[in-house]
Amino acid sequence: MRSPTFHSVSAVAATLAVVVLAGVACSDPPASSPTATTTVSLPAVDRAAGAGARADLKESTGEVVLPMSAYWYSDRENVLVNTAVAFLIYDCVEDAGFTVAPWGGGGKALQDGRYGQWSRPLAARNGAMPEIREIPGVMDEQPERPALSADHQAAETKCSNSVGRAGLPELLDGLAGDASLQNQITRNAVALTELDSEYLAYRKSWEECLATKGIKLSEQGSWSLQSSGSREDGIRVALLDLDCKDASGGARKPYDILAEYQAAQMMDHQAELNALAEEKADAVVRAKQILRDHGVADARL
């Protein structure tokens, strides 16, 4: 068992980061247009089969919890698993004869903004800018590590490649190239939502309301809006945006439609999803044990 030291590896900086839920841009990415969506092959899904499913919109943090969220790592679980992987890479680097400098271990995640701003308290504080959630690490924040020699950097790269994920799955929504069942359900639900008649009527009403207030979309099909660029005007526009969403059925409506399309698909795959939930739970348990073996106290887990 390793001594309880806390180290960092620059080669795994991407591994250590919490994958952001709503993209990294300050404005929301444009929504896919209905025309583009119709070119995608989609399953026939009866939304009514998922009736009653709802999104949990956490207004204080900007987090959105959907039915499929149970099969992805939470922000906290992601930090635990990624830090456990990092510790195994640190071990490899130390075995190669290098001393590895400390790292803080925390992460950040952005407010979900796929349908624009939806939280009035956050709009009043941030405008359309996403709220940033700080995810505590398993250790105290550490000073920046010194520059590394070429040999040290090569050892970190080699260890990162050889350790990989160490058998701990990367269960994160929206990873490029992910053909997993849970990602297929999630992608299908997004596309089906954008074709849904209730969603389209909601969006049409919202756009018409914005027009009466002199507010323009950043681009066609987008959920982001034009403003002067000042903080004050950004807040003004975001609050008017929410006024129009409320007048059209509420800012949560597209998320609830999305939740129903997720839930409707889940019914046909519950056995597979149950197995996935067990895999996720096992990965978190194993990650916590790896962290304990490296001296992390249970209070930090």
Side-chain angles (χ1 to χ4, degrees), residues 15 73 77-89 163-172 175 278-291:
T15 303
Y73 292 137
E77 289 169 340
N78 191 38
V79 164
L80 294 177
V81 171
N82 284 345
T83 307
V85 171
F87 274 134
L88 297 178
I89 297 174
V163 172
R165 292 290 302 177
L168 293 167
E170 197 166 16
L171 302 176
L172 297 170
L175 288 179
E278 290 185 15
E279 180 185 13
K280 187 187 86 160
D282 290 345
V284 173
V285 169
R286 181 174 167 233
K288 288 182 177 181
Q289 188 57 54
I290 291 170
L291 295 174

Side-chain angles (χ1 to χ4, degrees), residues 52-296:
R54 293 292 179 266
D56 181 9
L57 277 60
K58 301 182 182 298
E59 293 212 350
S60 62
T61 65
E63 184 180 6
V64 173
V65 180
L66 293 158
M68 283 299 297
S69 298
Y71 307 100
W72 305 112
Y73 292 137
S74 67
D75 293 344
R76 183 62 181 159
E77 289 169 340
N78 191 38
V79 164
L80 294 177
V81 171
N82 284 345
T83 307
V85 171
F87 274 134
L88 297 178
I89 297 174
Y90 306 158
D91 292 348
C92 172
V93 174
E94 289 182 336
D95 289 342
F98 296 95
T99 300
V100 190
W103 171 74
K108 295 180 180 180
L110 297 187
Q111 176 184 358
D112 187 301
R114 74 189 79 196
Y115 303 121
Q117 181 59 272
W118 46 265
S119 167
R120 195 167 289 275
L122 296 182
R125 182 164 71 228
N126 304 326
M129 297 285 285
E131 177 76 359
I132 301 175
R133 300 192 296 281
E134 297 283 344
I135 317 302
V138 299
M139 66 200 84
D140 294 333
E141 192 67 32
Q142 301 291 326
E144 290 189 14
R145 66 202 304 248
L148 305 180
S149 68
D151 287 345
H152 192 157
Q153 289 177 339
E156 292 193 354
T157 299
K158 181 178 179 180
C159 286
S160 180
N161 291 336
S162 63
V163 172
R165 292 290 302 177
L168 293 167
E170 197 166 16
L171 302 176
L172 297 170
D173 185 3
L175 288 179
D178 182 2
S180 66
L181 170 65
Q182 63 269 34
N183 205 38
Q184 290 175 24
I185 289 175
T186 301
R187 287 199 311 265
N188 289 342
V190 170
L192 290 164
T193 296
E194 291 175 358
L195 292 172
D196 185 87
S197 60
E198 186 177 359
Y199 168 91
L200 293 173
Y202 169 85
R203 184 177 173 92
K204 181 175 183 291
S205 174
W206 171 70
E207 290 187 8
E208 290 173 347
C209 175
L210 292 174
T212 67
K213 299 179 184 297
I215 300 174
K216 297 180 179 179
L217 303 179
S218 294
E219 61 180 292
Q220 185 63 35
S222 173
W223 285 93
S224 61
L225 306 174
Q226 295 180 18
S227 71
S228 69
S230 70
R231 180 178 183 277
E232 293 75 13
D233 195 51
I235 291 173
R236 179 188 70 85
V237 169
L239 292 173
L240 289 174
D241 170 17
L242 286 172
D243 287 345
C244 285
K245 285 173 177 168
D246 287 344
S248 303
R252 65 173 301 115
K253 179 178 281 292
Y255 285 101
D256 285 341
I257 295 173
L258 178 64
E260 290 186 339
Y261 276 115
Q262 285 191 0
Q265 294 176 86
M266 290 165 62
M267 296 177 66
D268 292 333
H269 300 282
Q270 199 56 61
E272 297 159 277
L273 292 172
N274 289 344
L276 180 62
E278 290 185 15
E279 180 185 13
K280 187 187 86 160
D282 290 345
V284 173
V285 169
R286 181 174 167 233
K288 288 182 177 181
Q289 188 57 54
I290 291 170
L291 295 174
R292 291 188 187 98
D293 291 345
H294 287 77
V296 178

